Amino acid sequence: MKPRICVFALLLCLAASVAAVSQEMPMFRWENFTTANGLPNDHVFCVLVDDARVWVGTEDGLALYESGAWKVFRPKDGLAHQAVLSLALDHRTGDLWVGTMGGLSRVSAGRIDTFTQLNSGLSNDIVYGVGVQGDFVWTATAAGASRRNTRTGQWALFNERNTPMYEIWTYAVSPAEDKVYYAVWGGGVLEYDTKTEHWKDYNDPDGETEMVLMKDQGLIHEITTSVSYVDKILWVATYFGASRYDGRYWHNFLQKDSGLPSNFMSQVKGVDGDRAWFSTDKGLAYYDGANWAVYRPALDTHKPEMLVRDADGHVTSVPVETAPAHNYVLAVDFQGDDLWVATAKGLSHGIRVQTATHAAKAGAAVSKTN
């Protein structure tokens, strides 16, 4: 075969491979919400899906989207503060726990109770993160962590005095049955073993704040912003890249050697041990264990954009007609195959588009269950 024909055949194979990867990645039709259609504020910090209901934490109140209508809760309704930073649902009771800039609120059967430094054992009134683990509600605050036993009402405080925490600015919490993980801004990751009740910390091994000298030898950076513990795999988001930890090995992701659109992340949310969504300041990113996809308004033209990067680093643009409300993504939650996305300029609902590949997988799954 002549060399020119060989090169042409190679390019055809490469194009076919990239096209196949693009078909595998999830595609969405995006519907966006702002104050123009009922959202109390366009700056959305967090979002939580509760079956058909969607709770949204904004800079000016807690919003509930249900059956196509919005209901808003503010301090005059009993909420601790109008700026809502974090949300967690107790699936056993249906209680919603709300972390705000002025305390922790519980929404239960239409009633709102608030816990602050003055009337409870809460570590600090700025509650960046909240999570439910059985009878316990864990909080990440600006002055350490705290835990409330919902049966006894007792509080426990965790800070530099009784944990390896050397920075007390806890930013996020991810509780599970066996472990509880904290993202500590400037202090890496803290792990609590629920069986032994012992704490352990994970830190950046090179100790460098401006560069990464030892990429996969530990946590990517000390300034952590989010943790997600799923299927005994820990996902970590930082302002300088992301990490995945399986209990023995670390694998780190940087913009320069992965499909991340930015190293600056507000949240990571694991789907399982292989797949995760990353909320960055330059778009929403999805990783399926080998390939990446990015969803955003294009950084230059602001037109809807979807980019797919395969495992070999080849990037292709997938034609799309809609995009999330803004590049600066702060959080994401799942509603079946759909997504709800919190951004700095509105809330987005990503409605999964049924591609031929997706439909075939869904059909195979149904056949298997039957």
Side-chain angles (χ1 to χ4, degrees):
M1 185 178 293
K2 294 181 178 179
R4 185 176 296 176
I5 296 176
C6 291
V7 171
F8 181 69
L10 184 62
L11 290 174
L12 281 178
C13 291
L14 176 61
S17 174
V18 172
V21 170
S22 300
Q23 288 292 322
E24 291 283 335
M25 304 308 278
M27 296 185 67
F28 301 92
R29 176 173 59 83
W30 296 95
E31 291 182 350
N32 299 322
F33 298 86
T34 65
T35 54
N37 46 14
L39 201 64
N41 190 280
D42 287 347
H43 197 164
V44 183
F45 292 112
C46 52
V47 59
L48 182 145
V49 173
D50 176 14
D51 292 329
R53 306 195 300 176
V54 180
W55 294 94
V56 184
T58 80
E59 198 168 280
D60 188 23
L62 170 68
L64 170 63
Y65 185 68
E66 185 175 22
S67 302
W70 289 97
K71 184 176 182 179
V72 179
F73 304 86
R74 293 191 172 92
K76 65 182 178 61
D77 304 302
L79 199 66
H81 194 276
Q82 69 270 20
V84 176
L85 306 177
S86 54
L87 299 166
L89 185 70
D90 187 334
H91 292 277
R92 302 174 311 166
T93 64
D95 291 354
L96 179 74
W97 291 89
V98 185
T100 79
M101 289 289 285
L104 177 69
S105 291
R106 178 182 58 197
V107 181
S108 178
R111 169 177 167 168
I112 300 180
D113 297 304
T114 286
F115 305 89
T116 67
Q117 289 176 259
L118 294 178
N119 69 6
S120 74
L122 188 67
S123 299
N124 187 275
D125 285 348
I126 301 177
V127 184
Y128 291 110
V130 59
V132 178
Q133 176 212 37
D135 292 333
F136 298 114
V137 175
W138 295 81
T139 58
T141 82
S146 49
R147 183 185 68 189
R148 183 176 191 271
N149 186 322
T150 57
R151 289 190 180 275
T152 66
Q154 292 182 321
W155 290 81
L157 304 182
F158 305 102
N159 49 41
E160 77 281 12
R161 297 172 186 167
N162 55 359
T163 77
M165 190 186 302
Y166 59 88
E167 292 284 348
I168 60 171
W169 194 358
T170 57
Y171 217 61
V173 58
S174 180
E177 184 177 351
D178 58 335
K179 301 283 178 61
V180 178
Y181 285 96
Y182 272 90
V184 184
W185 205 95
V189 170
L190 275 182
E191 174 191 277
Y192 177 78
D193 188 307
T194 59
K195 185 176 181 181
T196 65
E197 299 184 349
H198 287 161
W199 290 88
K200 180 180 180 180
D201 61 339
Y202 297 93
N203 303 102
D204 180 359
D206 59 36
E208 290 287 339
T209 57
E210 300 296 331
M211 63 184 76
V212 176
L213 299 179
M214 294 180 282
K215 183 170 178 290
D216 286 331
Q217 296 183 13
L219 182 67
I220 192 72
H221 203 274
E222 290 291 276
I223 299 180
T224 55
T225 56
S226 175
V227 281
S228 179
Y229 184 54
V230 184
D231 293 347
K232 298 190 181 302
I233 297 294
L234 176 66
W235 298 89
V236 185
T238 82
Y239 283 170
F240 296 86
S243 295
R244 178 186 181 276
Y245 180 56
D246 64 7
R248 187 174 183 181
Y249 298 108
W250 290 86
H251 183 83
N252 294 323
F253 306 95
L254 293 167
Q255 181 183 0
K256 66 181 181 182
D257 57 15
S258 76
L260 278 174
S262 169
N263 289 329
F264 190 96
M265 275 161 277
S266 296
Q267 189 210 45
V268 59
K269 193 170 181 67
V271 180
D272 52 33
D274 296 320
R275 300 174 295 165
W277 290 87
F278 301 85
S279 299
T280 86
D281 65 339
K282 290 185 173 59
L284 175 66
Y286 170 66
Y287 176 61
D288 73 355
N291 311 294
W292 292 80
V294 174
Y295 311 83
R296 64 185 181 187
L299 300 180
D300 47 2
T301 65
H302 306 296
K303 293 181 178 178
E305 182 177 71
M306 176 181 170
L307 301 174
V308 173
R309 181 187 190 273
D310 69 14
D312 295 323
H314 303 115
V315 179
T316 185
S317 177
V318 179
V320 290
E321 297 182 352
T322 57
H326 196 262
N327 291 319
Y328 202 128
V329 180
L330 291 156
V332 62
D333 200 9
F334 314 131
Q335 190 176 46
D337 285 339
D338 287 3
L339 297 179
W340 286 87
V341 181
T343 85
K345 293 290 179 63
L347 175 75
S348 297
H349 180 197
I351 303 166
R352 183 73 177 264
V353 175
Q354 296 288 326
T355 62
T357 303
H358 183 222
K361 284 184 176 180
V366 170
S367 299
K368 190 174 181 179
T369 56
N370 292 336

